[in-house]
Amino acid sequence: MTTRPEFESQASGLLFPEIREILRTAPGELPELTEELHPADLADLVTRLEEDEIRIFFSNLPVDRAADVAEYVDSSLQAELVTSLDPDRAARIVSAMSPDDRADILAEMDPGPAAAILARIALPQRRETQLLMGYEPHTAGGIMTTQFVTLPLATRADHALELVKVAAADKETIYTIFVIDREEKLTGVVSLRELLVADPTQRLADIMNESVVWVTPETDQEEVARLISKYDILALPVVDEGSSMLGVITVDDRIVVGTGPLHPAGALHGGKLREPVGDPGHPGARDR
Amino acid sequence: MTTRPEFESQASGLLFPEIREILRTAPGELPELTEELHPADLADLVTRLEEDEIRIFFSNLPVDRAADVAEYVDSSLQAELVTSLDPDRAARIVSAMSPDDRADILAEMDPGPAAAILARIALPQRRETQLLMGYEPHTAGGIMTTQFVTLPLATRADHALELVKVAAADKETIYTIFVIDREEKLTGVVSLRELLVADPTQRLADIMNESVVWVTPETDQEEVARLISKYDILALPVVDEGSSMLGVITVDDRIVVGTGPLHPAGALHGGKLREPVGDPGHPGARDR
């Protein structure tokens, strides 16, 4: 924190000509040149590249990094860039994206190329993706993700914490734990905060909040946003008619955060910043 | 989750006449009658009460519960309701609110009553409140809170987790840990997720992300909202000129969450819900 470069200006300004040059002359150096940049800044930069430059860009980043950047690009451009790639590489990048982003991108693509990519995705991921693609885009089902933690009522707090530790490596949502009964119905929620404060021998049934705000997959996304805002919810569960959990909606990139209506241009006005906060893995897709 | 009453409609509809009746006839029963309701729903209800009913309402809830409800009311109404109460009771409710809400409410009040309440608040809280009142309302300083966790670079992951457990009982923000050097300068951030995944013997210096998005107290709140949205930040640090942490801004009730511009009326359209997610203590003020 001794020097304070303005990373945003660097990413979209100073570094931009350098990155274009590298893409033309030595694309293998792209990962190193851009490793300090937040994926959101790289995504800004991608929107200013030509089509063939975008293809070279996404062909030369490591798959996980390419997926991170792609998650910050809007879904129509995502579809374009994936279409421009070799289907094997496209499938690997799409596989590394969060389930909801993966479904959105494939839903935006033409059916032919989308099917070519889907066919290259591992079966469990493919099924999950096809399920998510079945929901209308502006509904809870269309924006939910399927990576969350459910634990049975009788789980002890200390055991639950161990299980959350394991889940932390690959689940998007770990700060809210969803408690289910024997029929796998959602019966309560426990925040990770509450789990940390609890007596280790307590059961989730005794710690949980039984009153849960929930929506169905058909709930409109504006209603989802209103509920998240009104009740200060970090992870809103989406349940089916039998109260089984289908997914979770978190405050992420598809739910715009603003102080009232945002300026559409989103112009910069002087906030200094360095670089990113978040998981190196999937910063956009997790509950940080 | 077997029955699914629509709590919002109950709170602002069915229960409303019952609550008015109780306020007139047996206000001591108010806590029990309303204990199932989310503070956000009670706050909706408060906006529809008459002035004397509001006074009875806030005089009869337990102090912590009254503070929870007050945090969901807009700050001009907060100021009104606090002014209508006996100063001792008002001071106890205001003390139980989060530091940023406490400062906002007092800044909205006339200087006389505000001073009367301030004089009744414990000295450390009073100093903190006066400091926060010094910032312009629409800046990072005006919306930040002062309850966050900082830990030194050399802290081991297992020790850090123990310290976060202790902090979980009273700090608003625990899902992001701010790492400071010997001069107490902000040098990195670690998410609670990363701490859970880390080897217990690792030092924060080795786990932390050194690149931190930060703002100064003067940064405009629209820029704050843009940064939180762009980088998917859960807790944005506010630092002074010497890189010392002054506060944290979280995605809470003052940062509106919506899918683009929200309908000003916030009309209901069919999302079913039960009750609240969040800490029983200060659901609105914590990182849930």
Side-chain angles (χ1 to χ4, degrees), chain A residues 80-286:
Chain A
E80 259 180 66
L81 70 88
V82 166
T83 309
S84 76
L85 294 170
D86 159 81
D88 282 328
R89 175 144 187 105
R92 284 200 294 142
I93 293 175
V94 167
S95 292
M97 292 173 73
S98 63
D100 48 335
D101 279 298
R102 191 188 309 136
D104 288 348
I105 206 170
L106 291 168
E108 278 278 345
M109 290 176 68
D110 290 329
I117 289 174
L118 262 176
R120 287 168 167 83
I121 294 178
L123 190 61
Q125 277 194 336
R126 194 192 313 162
R127 288 209 173 125
E128 182 183 41
T129 307
Q130 285 167 326
L131 182 81
L132 288 175
M133 286 172 74
Y135 296 111
E136 293 294 325
H138 300 298
T139 63
I143 56 175
M144 72 186 184
T145 185
T146 46
Q147 298 187 339
F148 50 85
V149 181
T150 56
L151 291 175
L153 281 161
T155 317
R156 271 170 55 135
D158 51 0
H159 190 207
L161 197 55
E162 287 310 309
L163 293 169
V164 169
K165 275 189 194 180
V166 175
D170 69 345
K171 298 290 183 189
E172 286 181 35
T173 303
I174 62 156
Y175 294 155
T176 307
I177 295 108
F178 300 92
V179 187
I180 51 172
D181 65 14
R182 288 181 188 194
E183 293 169 308
E184 304 210 339
K185 288 183 183 185
L186 177 63
T187 15
V189 290
V190 176
S191 69
L192 182 52
R193 173 197 289 275
E194 289 162 330
L195 207 54
L196 288 171
V197 172
D199 181 312
T201 64
Q202 275 187 296
R203 308 278 170 181
L204 294 187
D206 302 319
I207 309 165
M208 71 181 189
N209 306 311
E210 286 178 69
S211 317
V212 183
V213 180
W214 52 269
V215 294
T216 65
E218 295 76 29
T219 306
D220 188 87
Q221 67 174 7
E222 286 201 26
E223 172 63 4
V224 165
R226 195 188 66 78
L227 292 173
I228 287 177
S229 173
K230 175 170 180 182
Y231 295 102
D232 286 325
I233 294 168
L234 204 57
L236 179 69
V238 183
V239 300
D240 67 13
E241 287 164 8
S243 294
S244 287
M245 277 197 70
L246 298 171
V248 156
I249 299 160
T250 55
V251 182
D252 76 353
D253 40 356
R254 250 75 38 83
I255 308 274
V256 177
V257 178
T259 51
L262 283 172
H263 293 308
L268 257 172
H269 32 122
K272 296 184 191 72
L273 74 150
R274 275 167 72 100
E275 236 237 297
V277 177
D279 290 293
H282 293 265
R286 301 193 172 193

Side-chain angles (χ1 to χ4, degrees), chain B residues 67-143:
Chain B
D68 284 350
V69 176
E71 287 188 354
Y72 282 95
V73 172
D74 78 53
S75 60
S76 60
L77 182 60
Q78 279 176 341
E80 260 179 66
L81 70 89
V82 167
T83 308
S84 76
L85 294 170
D86 159 81
D88 282 327
R89 173 139 189 111
R92 285 199 294 143
I93 293 174
V94 167
S95 292
M97 293 173 74
S98 63
D100 48 336
D101 280 297
R102 192 189 307 137
D104 288 348
I105 206 170
L106 291 168
E108 279 278 344
M109 289 175 69
D110 290 328
I117 288 174
L118 262 175
R120 287 169 167 83
I121 295 179
L123 189 61
Q125 277 194 336
R126 193 192 313 162
R127 287 209 173 123
E128 183 184 40
T129 307
Q130 285 167 324
L131 181 81
L132 288 175
M133 288 172 72
Y135 296 112
E136 292 294 325
H138 301 296
T139 63
I143 56 175

